[in-house]
Amino acid sequence: MPDTPETLDPADWDIHRATAHRMVEDAVDYIRDVRSRPVWQDMPQDVRARFRDPVPIDGQPLDEIYRQIATDVLPYPMGNIHPRFWMWYMGASNFAGAMGDFLAAILGSNLGGGDHAAAEIDKQVVGWMKEMVGYPTSASGTLVSGGSMANLIGLTVARNTMSGIDLREMGVSALAAPMRFYGSDQIHSCHRIAVEAMGLGNRALRRVQSDAACRMNLSLLRTAIAEDRAAGLHPACVIATAGTVNTGAIDDLEAIADLCAAEGLWMHVDGCIGALLAIAPRGSALVHGIARADSIALDPHKWLHAPFEVGCALVRDAEAHQGTFSSTPEYLEAAPRGIASGAWLHDFGLQTSRGFRALKVWMSLKEHGLAKFGRLIDQDLAHACYLSERIEATPDLTLCYPTVINIVCFRYDPGGLPDVALKRLNTEIMVQMQEAGVAAVSDTTVQGRHCLRAAINNHRTVPSDLEVLVQEVVRRGRALVPELVAGLRGDTYS
Ligand SMILES: *Cc1c(COP(=O)(O)O)cnc(C)c1O
């Protein structure tokens, strides 16, 4: 035994206290002043090089480490907390949530289960999520890393429940017929990963063509189900998307619920984008019928702006949920009293150890109240409407799809350019705006058409930010076209 045993605690707490104070002071300024910084900036080579240093064998003082973070990390964020970031579909984070992650780490608890306050908050937040989408209190749920995991949880419960066998014991090789899941061709890529991980294979996920509004074509869905039954396959589950990642389209949830009831299929809703419309005064009508689903995936790190990561899987039939994942090894038996006497929260998913991700959601919901989050969702919808109108009113800008929620698909199109040139032009505009740090949009190709895509899921955006976007796209587009046309004449687009 050494004379003085080692510990990770500091020898002098006051030095750490001072460093921690500085971190908090800087953090407040960092968020307060976010608008004055570029959305994004490229990292210089010397900064990149430092991230390739080998593992440190000996330690250094915490304030030196923080100094490196201040120079090498804080100036180079992804950008999603900036008011002019609208790429993919991200949340913009929030201060109370960030403090929640900090306090969760200070507490250091493991949410695998047990009887402690953090576990109660985890269960309370799941209960709040149920309330938000209109699920009964008898339903079940769990907080996970994000929407991909939430979908995997829901689909796994669907698979086991619909399999007709003891799937946990027998595995997929014992299935009487191959199971089939259905989603539209606009379905998120995580579902493919899910059916692969579930051992069903990518072919088990049948993509049903979407209609002109990018919603699942339900008569084609009916045909697909009938075809599969006739071919001896086992139709098991329809995955409806409430808010597709490309255009924000919302499948007809009521009609899909009717169809699933008539056909005896499980209805899962991927509500990572749109499920929380249910809490918005104006937006809620768009997801009417969502509570009829057997399972729902939603994503508090998107429209509740929780710092990454937190997703949520909800399952209407609590027994089916727990029956899919529960297992009690001898080292995790419940005790009659004490720390091990609480519910085992790991019984509702794939993880054993779980973080206290509930706290950041709990704190921001308590600070702002659900009504404000609902209004912020409606505000995003209004901003998307405004941007769409500005695009339609601006020469050389084309709205590619009617805007349904907060995703706006558009492109710079001066007319007369072939598709391949338009794609190159719009990609260049997008990248230039990012490199200049002025605004961040992403791009996608929907039903064969390339477009820029602004997902306005950002509580810091104001209308003038959207005006900046319109002007920057037009200005850069105009400047780029002559070069592009010259290039076309030089036949570089063969
Ligand atoms: C974001 C998203 C997902 C995946 O969620 P993550 O939180 O990124 O894992 C799944 N489906 C849809 C529709 C999404 O928008």
Short mmCIF file of all heavy atoms in Angstrom, two decimals, residues 57-78:
data_model
loop_
_atom_site.label_atom_id
_atom_site.label_comp_id
_atom_site.label_asym_id
_atom_site.label_seq_id
_atom_site.Cartn_x
_atom_site.Cartn_y
_atom_site.Cartn_z
N ILE A 57 0.79 10.48 -21.22
CA ILE A 57 1.17 9.52 -20.15
C ILE A 57 1.12 10.22 -18.80
O ILE A 57 0.67 9.64 -17.82
CB ILE A 57 2.59 8.96 -20.41
CG1 ILE A 57 2.66 8.28 -21.79
CG2 ILE A 57 2.99 7.98 -19.30
CD1 ILE A 57 1.67 7.13 -21.98
N ASP A 58 1.56 11.45 -18.77
CA ASP A 58 1.50 12.21 -17.52
C ASP A 58 0.49 13.34 -17.65
O ASP A 58 0.23 13.81 -18.76
CB ASP A 58 2.88 12.77 -17.17
CG ASP A 58 3.87 11.63 -16.93
OD1 ASP A 58 3.55 10.74 -16.12
OD2 ASP A 58 4.93 11.61 -17.59
N GLY A 59 -0.05 13.77 -16.53
CA GLY A 59 -1.10 14.76 -16.55
C GLY A 59 -0.61 16.19 -16.60
O GLY A 59 0.59 16.45 -16.56
N GLN A 60 -1.53 17.12 -16.73
CA GLN A 60 -1.23 18.55 -16.69
C GLN A 60 -2.37 19.25 -15.96
O GLN A 60 -3.46 18.67 -15.82
CB GLN A 60 -1.05 19.10 -18.11
CG GLN A 60 -2.29 18.95 -18.98
CD GLN A 60 -2.10 19.47 -20.40
OE1 GLN A 60 -1.43 20.46 -20.63
NE2 GLN A 60 -2.70 18.80 -21.37
N PRO A 61 -2.16 20.47 -15.52
CA PRO A 61 -3.21 21.16 -14.75
C PRO A 61 -4.48 21.38 -15.58
O PRO A 61 -4.41 21.61 -16.79
CB PRO A 61 -2.57 22.50 -14.39
CG PRO A 61 -1.10 22.28 -14.51
CD PRO A 61 -0.92 21.26 -15.59
N LEU A 62 -5.60 21.34 -14.90
CA LEU A 62 -6.90 21.49 -15.57
C LEU A 62 -7.01 22.82 -16.31
O LEU A 62 -7.57 22.88 -17.40
CB LEU A 62 -8.02 21.37 -14.52
CG LEU A 62 -9.45 21.39 -15.05
CD1 LEU A 62 -9.70 20.25 -16.03
CD2 LEU A 62 -10.45 21.34 -13.89
N ASP A 63 -6.45 23.89 -15.74
CA ASP A 63 -6.60 25.18 -16.43
C ASP A 63 -5.83 25.22 -17.76
O ASP A 63 -6.25 25.89 -18.69
CB ASP A 63 -6.29 26.39 -15.52
CG ASP A 63 -4.86 26.43 -15.06
OD1 ASP A 63 -4.18 25.37 -15.14
OD2 ASP A 63 -4.41 27.50 -14.62
N GLU A 64 -4.73 24.47 -17.83
CA GLU A 64 -4.02 24.39 -19.12
C GLU A 64 -4.86 23.64 -20.15
O GLU A 64 -4.90 23.99 -21.33
CB GLU A 64 -2.70 23.62 -18.96
CG GLU A 64 -1.53 24.48 -18.59
CD GLU A 64 -0.28 23.63 -18.33
OE1 GLU A 64 -0.10 22.59 -19.02
OE2 GLU A 64 0.50 24.01 -17.44
N ILE A 65 -5.51 22.61 -19.71
CA ILE A 65 -6.37 21.82 -20.61
C ILE A 65 -7.51 22.70 -21.11
O ILE A 65 -7.85 22.71 -22.28
CB ILE A 65 -6.93 20.58 -19.88
CG1 ILE A 65 -5.77 19.70 -19.40
CG2 ILE A 65 -7.88 19.80 -20.77
CD1 ILE A 65 -6.19 18.68 -18.37
N TYR A 66 -8.07 23.45 -20.17
CA TYR A 66 -9.17 24.32 -20.56
C TYR A 66 -8.69 25.39 -21.54
O TYR A 66 -9.40 25.74 -22.48
CB TYR A 66 -9.82 24.97 -19.33
CG TYR A 66 -10.90 25.95 -19.74
CD1 TYR A 66 -11.97 25.51 -20.52
CD2 TYR A 66 -10.81 27.30 -19.41
CE1 TYR A 66 -12.95 26.39 -20.95
CE2 TYR A 66 -11.78 28.19 -19.84
CZ TYR A 66 -12.85 27.73 -20.61
OH TYR A 66 -13.79 28.61 -21.04
N ARG A 67 -7.46 25.86 -21.35
CA ARG A 67 -6.92 26.85 -22.30
C ARG A 67 -6.86 26.27 -23.71
O ARG A 67 -7.16 26.94 -24.68
CB ARG A 67 -5.53 27.32 -21.84
CG ARG A 67 -5.39 28.84 -21.86
CD ARG A 67 -4.08 29.31 -21.24
NE ARG A 67 -4.01 29.07 -19.80
CZ ARG A 67 -2.89 28.76 -19.13
NH1 ARG A 67 -1.74 28.66 -19.76
NH2 ARG A 67 -2.92 28.56 -17.83
N GLN A 68 -6.50 25.00 -23.82
CA GLN A 68 -6.48 24.38 -25.15
C GLN A 68 -7.89 24.28 -25.74
O GLN A 68 -8.12 24.50 -26.92
CB GLN A 68 -5.83 22.99 -25.14
CG GLN A 68 -5.55 22.54 -26.58
CD GLN A 68 -5.22 21.05 -26.75
OE1 GLN A 68 -4.91 20.36 -25.77
NE2 GLN A 68 -5.32 20.58 -27.98
N ILE A 69 -8.85 23.96 -24.87
CA ILE A 69 -10.23 23.88 -25.35
C ILE A 69 -10.68 25.24 -25.87
O ILE A 69 -11.30 25.36 -26.92
CB ILE A 69 -11.16 23.36 -24.24
CG1 ILE A 69 -10.83 21.89 -23.95
CG2 ILE A 69 -12.63 23.51 -24.62
CD1 ILE A 69 -11.52 21.32 -22.75
N ALA A 70 -10.31 26.29 -25.10
CA ALA A 70 -10.71 27.64 -25.50
C ALA A 70 -10.11 28.04 -26.85
O ALA A 70 -10.74 28.74 -27.63
CB ALA A 70 -10.32 28.64 -24.42
N THR A 71 -8.89 27.59 -27.13
CA THR A 71 -8.28 27.99 -28.41
C THR A 71 -8.55 26.99 -29.54
O THR A 71 -8.66 27.39 -30.69
CB THR A 71 -6.75 28.15 -28.28
OG1 THR A 71 -6.19 26.90 -27.83
CG2 THR A 71 -6.38 29.26 -27.32
N ASP A 72 -8.64 25.72 -29.22
CA ASP A 72 -8.71 24.71 -30.28
C ASP A 72 -10.11 24.13 -30.52
O ASP A 72 -10.36 23.53 -31.56
CB ASP A 72 -7.78 23.52 -29.95
CG ASP A 72 -6.31 23.90 -30.04
OD1 ASP A 72 -6.03 25.06 -30.41
OD2 ASP A 72 -5.46 23.06 -29.74
N VAL A 73 -11.00 24.27 -29.57
CA VAL A 73 -12.30 23.60 -29.70
C VAL A 73 -13.46 24.59 -29.81
O VAL A 73 -14.23 24.56 -30.78
CB VAL A 73 -12.56 22.63 -28.51
CG1 VAL A 73 -13.89 21.91 -28.68
CG2 VAL A 73 -11.42 21.62 -28.39
N LEU A 74 -13.56 25.50 -28.85
CA LEU A 74 -14.72 26.40 -28.83
C LEU A 74 -14.88 27.24 -30.10
O LEU A 74 -16.01 27.51 -30.51
CB LEU A 74 -14.67 27.29 -27.57
CG LEU A 74 -14.81 26.52 -26.25
CD1 LEU A 74 -14.71 27.48 -25.05
CD2 LEU A 74 -16.11 25.74 -26.18
N PRO A 75 -13.80 27.65 -30.78
CA PRO A 75 -14.02 28.43 -32.01
C PRO A 75 -14.46 27.58 -33.21
O PRO A 75 -14.80 28.14 -34.24
CB PRO A 75 -12.63 29.05 -32.30
CG PRO A 75 -11.83 28.85 -31.07
CD PRO A 75 -12.38 27.64 -30.39
N TYR A 76 -14.45 26.27 -33.09
CA TYR A 76 -14.72 25.41 -34.25
C TYR A 76 -15.88 24.45 -34.01
O TYR A 76 -15.73 23.23 -34.09
CB TYR A 76 -13.45 24.64 -34.63
CG TYR A 76 -12.26 25.56 -34.79
CD1 TYR A 76 -11.26 25.63 -33.82
CD2 TYR A 76 -12.17 26.40 -35.90
CE1 TYR A 76 -10.20 26.51 -33.95
CE2 TYR A 76 -11.11 27.28 -36.03
CZ TYR A 76 -10.14 27.34 -35.05
OH TYR A 76 -9.09 28.22 -35.19
N PRO A 77 -17.06 24.98 -33.71
CA PRO A 77 -18.21 24.12 -33.45
C PRO A 77 -18.85 23.67 -34.77
O PRO A 77 -18.54 24.21 -35.84
CB PRO A 77 -19.17 25.05 -32.72
CG PRO A 77 -18.89 26.40 -33.32
CD PRO A 77 -17.42 26.42 -33.64
N MET A 78 -19.74 22.69 -34.69
CA MET A 78 -20.51 22.31 -35.87
C MET A 78 -21.37 23.48 -36.34
O MET A 78 -21.59 23.67 -37.53
CB MET A 78 -21.39 21.11 -35.55
CG MET A 78 -22.25 20.70 -36.73
SD MET A 78 -23.19 19.24 -36.37
CE MET A 78 -22.44 18.10 -37.51
#
